[in-house]
Amino acid sequence: MSDALPAYYDDLAGSLSRSWALIEEGAADRHSPCHTATIASLDQSGAPSLRVMVMREARRADRRLRFHTDSRADKVDELQEDARTGILLYDADAKIQLRLHGHSEIETRSAAADEAWDNADNYARRCYLADPAPGTMVAHPTSGLRAELEGVKPTDEQLAPARPNFSILRVTIERIEYLYLAHQGHRRARFDWTGDRWEGQWLVP
Ligand SMILES: Cc1cc2nc3c(=O)[nH]c(=O)nc-3n(C[C@H](O)[C@H](O)[C@H](O)COP(=O)(O)O)c2cc1C
């Protein structure tokens, strides 16, 4: 007996809509498998560089996703050097893989960055107190935090020096590649943003 096929199985526009629904759910629901995205940039040597990041916001209307990062992180330098960004999402229950392509912008001093900082709790903000910067080579294992900050929620006053280390990473999506796994036969499609609409194309899986 084969699994019931969804209404969007052979529907290109429906497959795009399902893709965005998964992306939006990933940002809104911390239990969604799409809440943690794999983000790809290119490092200084041109090699792929991947890391997991929490997707904080997704807006279908302007194709933008928001992530948070330390301003001093390697990925910030990499994405400022070459804004091309890959994002990988996989929801095993939905049986859908999404490969997103877009370009990144980093915002440290902006109203949106201030708002994201204001909405973060002090535990989340504590990461941005790391000194020296994330990725620095050190002689001994460390969290990067001063001893009195470990395991405690810092005060607003203790967090003041952290704010310049906090940035938002915005990715504007230009292409979505969709793969739906089905016993009857997989479905694969590509959607390209043309400047005013999404153009869809079925592909052989
Ligand atoms: C579950 C999980 C969630 C993470 N979320 C973030 C995040 O939202 N932002 C971030 O900068 N790093 C996040 N990280 C850490 C990154 O994967 C990475 O180790 C770190 O940012 C350094 O990456 P970089 O050297 O490429 O800048 C997360 C890691 C895990 C395992």
Side-chain angles (χ1 to χ4, degrees):
M1 195 176 79
S2 63
D3 292 341
L5 293 169
Y8 51 82
Y9 182 64
D10 281 333
D11 174 359
L12 205 49
S15 299
L16 175 63
S17 186
R18 178 70 177 123
S19 301
W20 272 110
L22 275 184
I23 297 167
E24 289 178 325
E25 182 186 297
D29 176 3
R30 68 190 179 88
H31 299 296
S32 162
C34 296
H35 192 55
T36 43
T38 301
I39 311 288
S41 55
L42 295 170
D43 74 11
Q44 265 72 20
S45 73
S49 178
L50 302 164
R51 79 283 295 157
V52 172
M53 295 180 80
V54 173
M55 182 163 49
R56 314 280 173 169
E57 187 185 16
R59 300 193 309 225
R60 189 187 308 217
D62 60 4
R63 301 173 287 115
R64 288 178 120 187
L65 313 185
R66 173 167 57 86
F67 301 88
H68 295 171
T69 181
D70 194 300
S71 318
R72 304 162 296 171
D74 286 346
K75 67 177 93 50
V76 169
D77 290 338
E78 291 172 9
L79 291 166
Q80 281 175 333
E81 180 74 23
D82 187 331
R84 289 176 298 171
T85 310
I87 301 178
L88 180 66
L89 304 172
Y90 173 53
D91 185 325
D93 290 334
K95 298 181 285 186
I96 291 174
Q97 170 183 263
L98 297 173
R99 296 202 288 182
L100 315 180
H101 298 255
H103 67 268
S104 283
E105 291 159 277
I106 307 288
E107 290 179 24
T108 305
R109 282 177 293 275
S110 69
D114 285 341
E115 189 185 346
W117 178 257
D118 291 344
N119 288 335
D121 86 0
N122 282 8
Y123 275 122
R125 291 170 173 166
R126 192 180 59 163
C127 308
Y128 301 94
L129 282 170
D131 185 23
T136 303
M137 287 191 213
V138 286
H140 303 288
T142 180
S143 65
L145 298 173
R146 292 199 313 273
E148 70 269 24
L149 291 169
E150 290 202 321
V152 299
K153 191 173 184 171
T155 62
D156 290 350
E157 197 182 0
Q158 285 173 312
L159 281 164
R163 174 61 187 90
N165 298 334
F166 172 80
S167 293
I168 62 175
L169 165 63
R170 284 193 190 286
V171 189
T172 305
I173 305 301
E174 284 135 12
R175 192 203 306 163
I176 297 174
E177 202 199 285
Y178 160 94
L179 177 66
Y180 176 78
L181 304 174
H183 181 67
Q184 171 160 324
H186 306 327
R187 289 290 183 267
R188 181 175 171 187
R190 175 177 160 159
F191 304 95
D192 288 286
W193 181 252
T194 62
D196 61 0
R197 67 190 173 84
W198 287 103
E199 194 170 81
Q201 172 67 56
W202 291 114
L203 304 172
V204 174

